[in-house]
Every structure is written in C-alpha cells, then in structure tokens.
Amino acid sequence: MAPTSTAIDDFQVDDLQGKVTQRIELFPISWQTYQAMLTDMGDHRASRLTYDEGTLEIKMPSKLHEIINRLLELIITALVEELNMSIKGYGSTTLDREDLQKGVEPDSCFYIQNADRIQGLDPSLPDDLPPDLAVEVDITSSSTRRMAIYKQLKVPEVWQYTKQGITFFRWSDGDYEETVFSPTSPMISPRTLADFLQQRQTTDDIGVIRFVRAWIRDWQTHPTQ
C-alpha cells in the first residue's frame, strides 16, 4: 500500500538549503556513555537521540521539520478533544530500555488510550507502557532505525511523515502494518490528515485547528458521508 502523498513541494519549499535535518552517527557508544550524554545535554534541546545497540544517532531537526511536527501535535490534541478522549503529551521524551539496549526520542508522543494510567506532572514512565501514539517527521532523513526501535518497544501506533507522504502504522503480532485509518482516530486517514496540513498554506496554526474542529463536528453529524 503506497502512502498518501503530501510531498514536500506541497508546502511550497523551493529548495532544501537550510531546511535539511542534520544527522550524524557515532559508533561504538556504550549504554553508559549514551546515558551520560542524555544527562549532560539535558531536556531543553532541539536534538533527538537514538540509540541502537552501540550506535548513537543525533538528529538536528530543520525549521520545516519543526513546523510540520508542531502542526501535527496541535491537530492530534484537537482531534482527541473533539472526540471527548483523554490525552497526555510527552513531546520528545526519551523512551529507552537498557535490557534491549535501545532508546529513541520521537518527534512527538502521546498517551491517549492509557492516559489515565499516567499520573502526575512528571511521572516515571513504565517500561511496559509505551506511548499510544508516536509521530515521526522524516523529510530528508530516514526513520528506518527509529521505526525498528518503536517495534521493539511495542508502540501501538506511529504516524510517519516523509517526502513521499503520510503513513499510519499499527503494531500487530510483533510487527508494524500500514493501516488506512488511525486506530486512535478511526475517521482519520492519511489523505484527511494531508488535507488538514494543507490548510497551513493559506492560514495560520489557529486557522488549521478551526478547520480540523469543523471537520470533526461535521463528521460527527454526518458520519457516513
């Protein structure tokens, strides 16, 4: 199944200069060094770290990457609110497992179905309770390694945005499979999400969210259309 197209050209990017996500890999890096780097770098940083059995990937997101990521965060929150569900966003929080020797920092992640199981402002996240939804924005860099780590962590759902389009993945029987509709928001397809993002061409972030809310309310009134 080919992902629904929302190519980078749809956002009127004439060239990629200054818009390319920077990425470097370091090897071999021990788990202890990886953990020390996380501590030294702190939480207030733009970079995303991925650790995979001795290989450390450091990603520096571009401006375009962050614009799309923030829009997706807003859209997801609006969708969940309109559907009267719970949500707790954890941004790019580090998801790591020493027993697996793997760690990843999503562009965004959310507890939705399991939001009520996470209590407090800054709780420790159980190893056996990954976020319900992770978002990967990969305009100019591959997310193959990160997707493999999400699979190991058993993250139930991943939304992936690439130059080729948007794809929804659902974890099932030990692997990811593409799905036409989001398990979290079953009325939302990649094409619908692409339409939401496309609104940013002619309006601001608030205008996009107003469009999303109006779409959801119309769907709730006429669900079969």
Side-chain angles (χ1 to χ4, degrees):
M1 180 187 304
T4 301
S5 176
T6 308
I8 195 170
D9 290 342
D10 290 341
F11 287 88
Q12 296 180 348
V13 179
D14 296 326
D15 61 76
L16 293 178
Q17 184 176 359
K19 304 176 180 70
V20 177
T21 297
Q22 303 297 316
R23 184 174 64 91
I24 62 172
E25 287 188 4
L26 303 174
F27 178 86
I29 300 294
S30 69
W31 180 263
Q32 291 74 21
T33 299
Y34 163 58
Q35 292 294 309
M37 290 180 67
L38 288 173
T39 300
D40 291 344
M41 295 173 74
D43 295 330
H44 303 290
R45 54 183 166 84
S47 59
R48 313 272 200 273
L49 271 61
T50 302
Y51 185 82
D52 187 10
E53 299 182 50
T55 298
L56 179 65
E57 176 185 290
I58 303 175
K59 182 174 73 170
M60 292 294 297
S62 66
K63 179 178 69 175
L64 179 61
H65 176 287
E66 290 297 85
I67 289 171
I68 296 170
N69 182 44
R70 297 308 174 198
L71 276 174
L72 289 171
E73 286 182 336
L74 292 170
I75 289 168
I76 290 166
T77 302
L79 285 172
V80 171
E81 182 182 359
E82 288 295 325
L83 294 171
N84 199 29
M85 301 168 67
S86 298
I87 188 169
K88 291 180 180 176
Y90 279 83
S92 297
T93 194
T94 305
L95 311 173
D96 57 10
R97 290 272 301 273
E98 184 175 7
D99 58 325
L100 300 175
Q101 290 286 292
K102 296 182 185 295
V104 67
E105 294 176 338
D107 288 312
S108 303
C109 67
F110 306 86
Y111 286 89
I112 300 173
Q113 291 89 340
N114 288 301
D116 292 341
R117 296 180 62 184
I118 306 296
Q119 300 297 324
L121 182 62
D122 187 22
S124 297
L125 302 180
D127 287 344
D128 62 349
L129 190 65
D132 297 303
L133 172 62
V135 173
E136 279 292 321
V137 178
D138 300 300
I139 300 169
T140 58
S141 62
S142 171
S143 60
T144 301
R145 175 175 283 122
R146 292 190 296 282
M147 289 298 296
I149 295 174
Y150 290 135
K151 182 172 71 173
Q152 290 282 320
L153 298 178
K154 301 181 181 179
V155 175
E157 183 178 0
V158 180
W159 290 8
Q160 184 186 51
Y161 179 100
T162 70
K163 285 179 65 177
Q164 287 70 45
I166 300 168
T167 309
F168 294 163
F169 292 96
R170 176 179 62 188
W171 194 90
S172 178
D173 296 327
D175 205 350
Y176 280 121
E177 61 182 19
E178 292 185 29
T179 179
V180 177
F181 294 99
S182 165
T184 299
S185 306
M187 75 296 299
I188 302 299
S189 67
R191 181 66 264 172
T192 305
L193 185 59
D195 290 341
F196 293 163
L197 290 171
Q198 190 67 20
Q199 301 305 309
R200 185 59 159 72
Q201 294 283 25
T202 56
T203 187
D204 62 6
D205 293 358
I206 297 298
V208 173
I209 299 311
R210 285 174 178 157
F211 181 88
V212 171
R213 291 186 186 279
W215 190 96
I216 287 291
R217 290 168 187 175
D218 183 68
W219 177 86
Q220 290 172 323
T221 305
H222 309 97
T224 59
Q225 292 186 3

